[in-house]
Amino acid sequence: MALIVQKFGGTSVGTVERIEQVAEKVKRFHEAGDQIVVVVSAMSGETNRLIGLAKQIMEQPDPRELDVMVSTGEQVTIGLLSMALLKRGVQAVSYTGSQVRILTDSAHTKARIQQIDDARIRADLKARKVVVVAGFQGVDEQGNITTLGRGGSDTTGVALAAALKADECQIYTDVDGVYTTDPRVVPQAQRLDKITFEEMLEMASLGSKVLQIRSVEFAGKYNVPLRVLHSFQEGPGTLITLDEEESMEQPIISGIAFNRDEAKLTIRGVPDTPGVAFKILGPISAANIEVDMIVQNVAHDNTTDFTFTVHRNDYQAALEILKRTGVEIGARESVGDIKIAKVSIVGVGMRSHAGVASQMFEALAKESINIQMISTSEIKVSVVIEEKYLELAVRALHTAFELDAPARGAE
Ligand code: ASP
Ligand code: MG
């Protein structure tokens, strides 16, 4: 008998019919003898609708009151799903975050879970009940309703699984797993059977939108096995775990991530003296702008060129700051470029294989794609290229690292 937490996203509970289908699925697991805790999101579009209502009254809605109202989306779906289970003769009971007592800090609209009281849920499970919990919400010390940030139901699911020491946390969604890359860009992309927390975290921060990043961090920290599955199709999904299997078949690269969210800034001809990097980036970080990649190079005339990337939303502000800094420190010029894209290869296999980066550069060279910046970590190599070559680069890398699915009809 296993204890399983099953989380269903907004599209999976988007209509009454779908809620009935979810109830059928839950019932099957329950009848097989498993102990089941279900976490649900609001019906798809509902959270946006509620935020829209709030904005009609206040352009910047009061955060406490916004949490009071947006948390109602999930309160509707827990009630409906519990009814659908009861109708099928399955003992079920629903709880809001505050009824469970999912204790969070008081950072409204982006609260963090601090503690979960598992007493009530454990007693219900012992009585063979299915427990249905509202995702995305909690309660602070003072009893205020809080929410965990968009997509936060994933985190509720993982946190409950951690607190209950569940055997698995299953995330049911509208895709059948985690893919080697976005199938819209590479039709030969394949579903991964397994991926490590670390790899998934890199994929998620680099733009893969299957799971909320915080939920992956949480799962890794508490070693909660996570499985991404399709709500209404059968299949094994993708298991996200700790262990890095040493298998011969294990590819070196698990996936290719990419995004168009960044912009590049360069300051040229800066006198190369100690403290220059701080003088350039100090004012940027003082403005609360996050810097991602950085490259610095010293020229023969003892000046340096310094390039870094920021989120596109911060581009204008960063460029203005950089121009001011340039005048102060006597740089030759400050320029920027938003037509860039970042492409990354991710894989724990890199730890035990040399030459992965050069293999990547070779594949890009073959397509005559110029690399503007490079950064590496233990399990990732990222490059910045011209945006118009993004799709070409991702396809070339997917092939070079042998991630393409075998052609249909072939062996
Ligand atoms: N309903 C919330 C949202 O739309 C939480 C979730 O779906 O995970 O962001
Ligand atoms: Mg979601």
Side-chain angles (χ1 to χ4, degrees), residues 7 9-10 41-42 47-48 74 135-136 149-154:
K7 182 258 168 177
S41 293
T47 308
N48 287 341
E74 275 75 7
F136 177 57
R150 297 309 303 270
S153 298
D154 290 345

Side-chain angles (χ1 to χ4, degrees), residues 241-272:
T241 54
L242 207 54
D243 59 307
E244 299 169 16
E245 244 172 71
E246 273 305 323
S247 128
M248 300 284 290
E249 265 119 284
Q250 184 71 22
I252 300 168
I253 299 305
S254 296
I256 297 169
F258 56 85
N259 71 50
R260 298 175 172 90
D261 299 344
E262 292 185 28
K264 186 179 79 166
L265 297 113
T266 300
I267 182 165
R268 292 208 182 92
V270 182
D272 187 34

Side-chain angles (χ1 to χ4, degrees), residues 293 350 357 360-361 374-383:
M293 294 165 88
M350 263 182 233
M360 178 186 200
F361 306 153
I374 301 168
S375 81
T376 66
S377 79
E378 229 188 321
I379 65 160
K380 172 187 75 177
V381 183
S382 301
V383 297

